């Protein structure tokens, strides 16, 4: 967000935003306006002291996170064959772009997701030789997204 946008959203002047960015003293209302502009749930977030956790607190937080969450490995996918094989071995997928795309790329990505889900539903009826056509079709979608500049490698997390 640039200073002019932040000023517009927060209702502050650009000079006030610049002063705050430089670390100059600011009043409570200005800090609250900035917090609201960034959609902080706690509008006093910028007024509270920031404490850096100790090594022990960090370790305890990490252990708690690992107990309460499942971390899945993201695999880089660059080939239609890799994507097809991943689809064959998993029953669910998380297939959402990690960033905004233009309409053309959005449609191409949606076509790829539809294609891989359709394939997953009937992968067991394809012969091994027939799967090469599937690999090629998925590769065409991947290549089209790459050509649009929206995909260098796909990251995929799958669930069994």
């Amino acid at each position: 967000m640039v200073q002019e946008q932040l000023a517009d959203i927060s209702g502050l002047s650009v000079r006030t935003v610049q002063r705050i960015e430089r670390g100059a003293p600011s009043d409570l209302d200005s800090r609250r306006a900035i917090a609201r502009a960034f959609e902080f749930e706690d509008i006093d977030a910028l007024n509270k002291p920031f404490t850096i956790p100790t090594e022990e607190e960090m370790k305890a937080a990490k252990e708690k996170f690992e107990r309460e969450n499942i971390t899945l490995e993201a695999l880089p996918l660059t080939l239609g064959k890799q994507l097809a094989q991943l689809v064959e071995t998993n029953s669910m997928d998380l297939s959402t772009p990690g960033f905004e795309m233009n309409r053309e790329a959005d449609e191409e990505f949606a076509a790829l997701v539809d294609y891989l889900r359709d394939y997953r539903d009937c992968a067991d009826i394809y012969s091994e030789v027939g799967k090469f056509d599937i690999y090629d079709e998925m590769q065409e979608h991947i290549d089209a997204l790459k050509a649009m500049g929206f995909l260098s490698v796909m990251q995929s997390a799958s669930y069994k």
Side-chain angles (χ1 to χ4, degrees):
M1 185 178 301
V2 295
Q3 292 172 341
E4 291 80 11
Q5 289 174 313
L6 182 55
D8 186 47
I9 293 168
S10 67
L12 300 172
S13 70
V14 174
R15 281 192 55 193
T16 300
V17 170
Q18 291 169 341
R19 235 182 20 256
I20 292 170
E21 277 190 359
R22 285 192 310 270
S26 59
D27 64 21
L28 179 64
D29 290 334
S30 295
R31 291 189 301 270
R32 283 185 171 168
I34 297 286
R36 276 193 303 274
F38 283 106
E39 298 180 356
F40 289 170
E41 290 191 23
D42 179 1
I43 61 169
D44 289 321
L46 300 177
N47 299 315
K48 295 177 180 175
F50 179 75
T51 57
I52 298 174
T54 66
E55 194 172 321
E56 291 167 356
E57 291 170 327
M58 289 292 291
K59 183 178 178 185
K62 182 179 182 219
E63 288 171 356
K64 181 179 185 240
F65 178 85
E66 288 173 352
R67 275 192 315 272
E68 296 175 357
N69 297 279
I70 298 172
T71 303
L72 302 173
E73 182 180 358
L75 304 171
L77 299 174
T78 56
L79 301 174
K81 182 176 180 176
Q82 291 171 318
L83 184 56
Q85 289 171 337
L86 183 69
V87 168
E88 288 175 30
T89 59
N90 295 281
S91 59
M92 288 178 42
D93 61 82
L94 176 61
S95 300
T96 55
F99 47 85
E100 288 296 316
M101 296 189 290
N102 64 32
R103 175 68 183 249
E104 182 183 14
D106 232 356
E107 288 177 359
E108 186 65 41
F109 184 80
L112 174 60
V113 170
D114 287 346
Y115 192 85
L116 70 88
R117 288 180 178 159
D118 288 345
Y119 175 62
R120 181 181 50 224
D121 292 341
C122 59
D124 58 333
I125 65 171
Y126 283 90
S127 69
E128 292 304 309
V129 171
K131 290 180 182 179
F132 285 101
D133 291 335
I134 301 299
Y135 304 158
D136 293 342
E137 182 74 23
M138 287 189 187
Q139 188 65 49
E140 287 174 19
H141 288 293
I142 291 170
D143 291 344
L145 286 165
K146 283 180 185 178
M148 290 178 219
F150 287 98
L151 188 67
S152 56
V153 291
M154 286 182 59
Q155 297 290 317
S156 176
S158 296
Y159 313 94
K160 288 190 174 187

